[in-house]
Amino acid sequence: MKNGITIRVKAGVVVGTLDILAAFLHYFISTGETRVSNVLKFIASGIFGNQAFAQGNTMVVAGLFFHYLIAFAFTLFFFWVYPKINLFSKSTILTGILYGIFIWLVMNLVVVPLSNTPSQPFTLLNTLINALILIACMGIPLSLMAHSFYKKGNQSTPKLTSNK
């Protein structure tokens, strides 16, 4: 049981960290702005709207919390669905690419439209960059970690046991 929980926590931390670092880098390259706290305030604006930009470190922490919450949700979902779809174990890279695209679709067609984040203009280049970040920083690493975990014969989901 501990092994299954541990790998999921490690995977969530790894992909959450890779993704936010890539988002910081993309923000810096796109804007020349070094205050990456703006990225975290943007994430916090999903819940708090424009007031997230007017507040200080509380919104930075809230943005980081929401970012990792979302990363862990996608991690847990992937580890749950991975053993259920045989195709996933056939090609880890293709699986990672497809899961990165799935994350992009869910975030951009469901999560962001339902949130309070300010609308952003659509650009093809930005869309491709964001999708590639999710593929490289979340999809492929999750696929590699899940493949390694399940290849070792680990159970599909951790089971809680009692000592009765």
Side-chain angles (χ1 to χ4, degrees):
M1 178 178 82
K2 284 185 182 178
N3 191 26
I5 292 170
T6 301
I7 188 64
R8 287 163 176 83
V9 169
K10 284 180 182 178
V13 169
V14 167
V15 300
T17 301
L18 288 173
D19 182 51
I20 199 64
L21 290 175
F24 290 162
L25 181 61
H26 176 55
Y27 177 76
F28 172 72
I29 291 170
S30 299
T31 67
E33 182 68 47
T34 58
R35 283 179 284 155
V36 294
S37 60
N38 292 339
V39 174
L40 296 170
K41 287 181 179 184
F42 181 81
I43 295 167
S45 75
I47 298 293
F48 300 105
N50 284 332
Q51 90 180 86
F53 299 103
Q55 297 192 16
N57 291 335
T58 303
M59 289 299 132
V60 172
V61 171
L64 193 61
F65 170 78
F66 293 129
H67 169 74
Y68 276 100
L69 181 69
I70 291 167
F72 273 99
F74 279 114
T75 298
L76 292 175
F77 179 73
F78 187 77
F79 271 84
W80 176 74
V81 76
Y82 185 90
K84 297 174 180 359
I85 301 176
N86 288 335
L87 173 68
F88 285 178
S89 63
K90 305 291 185 233
S91 174
T92 53
I93 300 301
L94 179 59
T95 297
I97 291 168
L98 293 174
Y99 197 64
I101 293 168
F102 170 78
I103 295 170
W104 185 91
L105 289 168
V106 170
M107 289 303 298
N108 287 278
L109 300 178
V110 179
V111 176
V112 172
L114 293 174
S115 76
N116 294 316
T117 58
S119 60
Q120 301 290 309
F122 175 84
T123 66
L124 183 58
L125 179 61
N126 202 40
T127 298
L128 290 174
I129 290 170
N130 289 327
L132 287 172
I133 287 172
L134 291 170
I135 289 167
C137 295
M138 292 188 76
I140 292 174
L142 279 174
S143 182
L144 293 171
M145 286 183 270
H147 180 75
S148 175
F149 177 72
Y150 290 114
K151 185 174 86 172
K152 293 176 184 171
N154 291 300
Q155 60 195 20
S156 61
T157 54
K159 297 191 183 342
L160 299 176
T161 59
S162 67
N163 295 328
K164 291 184 182 181

